[in-house]
Every structure is written in structure tokens, then in C-alpha cells.
Amino acid sequence: MQLIDGKSLANKVQASVATQVEELKREKNIVPGLAVILIGDDPASHAYVKMKAKACEKVGFYSITHNMPDTISQDEIIATIEMMNNNPRIDGILVQLPLPKHVDTDKILEVIDPKKDVDGFHAYNMGRLVTNLDSFVACTPLGVMKMFEEYNIDLEGKDVCVVGASNIVGKPMASLLLNANATVTITHIFTKDLKAHTSQADIIVVGVGVPGLIKEDMVKEGAIVIDIGINRMEDGSLVGDVDFKNVSSKCSYITPVPGGVGPMTIAMLLSNTVKAAKGRI
Ligand code: GUN
């Protein structure tokens, strides 16, 4: 069994972004800019946004965070995004999810200029991804693809089971895998027999937020298991969606939690933002 080290790969991606930022500054006088909209006081969202801002600073981006109370109206959020769409210093716009219940998330995401949609959540970018055209791709699934590349894991013809069908993770993940010529099965909350699918898979990618969902008897010997889940337990510890202790010995490769996919999400956000900044040229 080999661990896939997301932390060290994320550092490598971050270093490459920092070099590209240096070049953009030196040769084109461009400083990549990322704007984050953070609404309400959800502690997890605040923690994520803080990590994103810190990473931006580290690679030399211009970054701003707009903090708004959860009483803010949808129209005010839209006006803020439109202002960012028109601000030439801002290359990437990220609206931290989840949004308060009175706000229509789909409507908000559609307002972001697709060229500044570094989260890849806009329907324009999702559509381009499905049709295998160049697009901004959601950071977490993009980070998983980077891991496959780094560890020379060939996807062509592989049976891959994606567990979870969210717009943020499962659907873009499945599209990326399909574009890489894998045979993809998407399972979700209504799947009749999850184990029937996971136990056949060469590769399992799971991101549903259910601690320990994937158990030893659901995984084929030698399988590759990618755990996107990050679940905070009552004792404060972080665990994934995979029962790591019992599953890991059966795997050829597995990602740990923490230190697996998690750090890749921010690294790919940086990478998407530098890509957006290059679009200015
Ligand atoms: N909430 C949880 N994950 C994400 C993410 O990748 N991007 C945004 N914007 N919000 C999130």
C-alpha cells in the first residue's frame, strides 16, 4: 500500500504557481487577484477562507475577502459580484458555500463572470467540462486528477466508482474521469446497493461527508481509494469517508485524511487563479 501525499504535492503546485506569479509580475506587470465572498459566521467556512487568503499571500496574489452578515440580501450579493466582475485587478471570484437559506445559490453562481469563475461552478464552465473543452474545473476534483498524474496512475479503461453526485465534487469528478477514458459509475444517496458498485471498482473516489462509509468489505484487493471526505468528529479529530484503518491494507494506493485531497483543493484554486490572470494577456 502506498499513501498518496497530498500535502507535498500541494506544496509543489504552490511553488509552481509562485514561479508563474513572479514571471507575470516581471514580464507583464500583472498581479493575479482573487476575491472571496464570505457570508455569515459558519466556523468551517471562516477557517477555509482564512486558509485560502493565507495561501494567496504566500504565492504573491492580490487578495481580498468580502465578509457579509447572513442577513444580507440576494441583491446586495449580486451587486458585489458585479462590481468584482468589472474590477480589472480581480481575476478570480469565489463565493464560499454554503450560502444562507434565503439566498438562491444557483442564481448567485450564475452571476460570476465565467472567465473569473475559478471555482468552476458556473454552468458555462460545467458545460465546457462535460464537452471536454478547456474550462475552469472545480478545485477538488481537479486536485484528484493532479494526484493521479503525479503517481502515474493510468485511468484509461479503468472501472471507477464515484460515490457522491454533488455539483461541486461528484459530477465534475465523473466528467474528468470520463474525459480521461475511464469507465465511470456514479453512485449516490438513492443507489440501491452501494457495495455492489464499489467492490467491483479498480478506483473508488468518495466525497459525501459520511465518516467511515467505505468499509473493508466494499473494496476490491489492490484498489485505489481516494477519500474526499473531511468530517470533524466530536473529539475534534478529522476523519474521511473511508474506514482508513481497515481499508488501507487492501489498497494499492490510498489518500489519508488529513493530508490527502484537502490540501490539493487550495493548491488548485491558486492554479486556477493564475490561469485566469493569464487570460488578461
Ligand atoms: N465550500 C466547500 N467547498 C467549497 C469550494 O471548493 N468552494 C467554495 N466556494 N465553497 C466551498
Side-chain angles (χ1 to χ4, degrees), residues 66 78-88 90 93 116:
H66 260 257
I78 289 173
T80 307
I81 295 171
E82 282 169 346
M83 194 179 71
M84 292 168 169
N85 282 343
N86 294 320
N87 182 342
I90 293 173
I93 301 169
K116 298 191 177 189

Side-chain angles (χ1 to χ4, degrees), residues 163 194 206 208 210-215 218 240-243:
V163 184
L194 177 61
V206 55
V208 290
V210 178
L213 175 71
I214 304 300
K215 303 200 169 30
M218 298 167 76
D241 291 348
V242 177
D243 176 9

Side-chain angles (χ1 to χ4, degrees), residues 52 94-98 119 121 140 168 265:
K52 286 169 187 174
L94 183 151
V95 179
Q96 185 65 29
L97 304 180
D119 249 338
F121 294 166
T140 303
I168 295 181
T265 299

Side-chain angles (χ1 to χ4, degrees), residues 28-232:
K28 313 276 180 197
N29 204 23
I30 288 175
V31 180
L34 177 70
V36 176
I37 295 180
L38 173 59
I39 299 165
D41 43 28
D42 174 57
S45 289
H46 273 258
Y48 284 131
V49 167
K50 211 168 150 187
M51 287 195 300
K52 286 169 187 174
K54 212 168 133 190
C56 284
E57 193 186 321
K58 231 170 158 178
V59 296
F61 286 177
Y62 162 65
S63 99
I64 52 166
T65 301
H66 260 257
N67 254 297
M68 296 169 165
D70 55 14
T71 50
I72 193 108
S73 73
Q74 184 163 301
D75 286 347
E76 281 174 280
I77 303 169
I78 289 173
T80 307
I81 295 171
E82 282 169 346
M83 194 179 71
M84 292 168 169
N85 282 343
N86 294 320
N87 182 342
R89 287 189 72 191
I90 293 173
D91 299 290
I93 301 169
L94 183 151
V95 179
Q96 185 65 29
L97 304 180
L99 293 174
K101 287 197 171 44
H102 69 277
V103 178
D104 182 342
T105 301
D106 293 334
K107 213 165 223 162
I108 294 294
L109 296 178
E110 290 274 282
V111 178
I112 299 172
D113 180 345
K115 291 194 277 312
K116 298 191 177 189
D117 175 35
V118 287
D119 249 338
F121 294 166
H122 194 289
Y124 174 87
N125 282 311
M126 293 280 273
R128 287 184 65 93
L129 169 63
V130 169
T131 42
N132 203 8
L133 295 169
D134 181 54
S135 64
F136 286 110
V137 178
C139 303
T140 303
L142 191 60
V144 172
M145 294 304 282
K146 191 85 189 165
M147 287 172 142
F148 288 138
E149 187 190 314
E150 178 74 7
Y151 284 79
N152 295 313
I153 294 168
D154 184 23
L155 297 167
E156 196 163 278
K158 294 282 163 57
D159 291 324
V160 185
C161 181
V162 176
V163 184
S166 67
N167 288 341
I168 295 181
V169 176
K171 286 181 199 167
M173 188 75 249
S175 288
L176 286 165
L177 290 161
L178 189 57
N179 291 344
N181 299 329
T183 302
V184 186
T185 304
I186 311 175
T187 62
H188 45 76
I189 190 100
F190 297 111
T191 297
K192 276 189 288 188
D193 185 353
L194 177 61
K195 181 178 163 184
H197 296 284
T198 59
S199 57
Q200 298 291 319
D202 301 313
I203 302 173
I204 300 168
V205 182
V206 55
V208 290
V210 178
L213 175 71
I214 304 300
K215 303 200 169 30
E216 190 181 358
D217 64 346
M218 298 167 76
V219 178
K220 185 168 86 171
E221 197 70 47
I224 296 167
V225 175
I226 308 294
D227 190 351
I228 297 175
I230 301 179
N231 308 290
R232 173 119 10 226

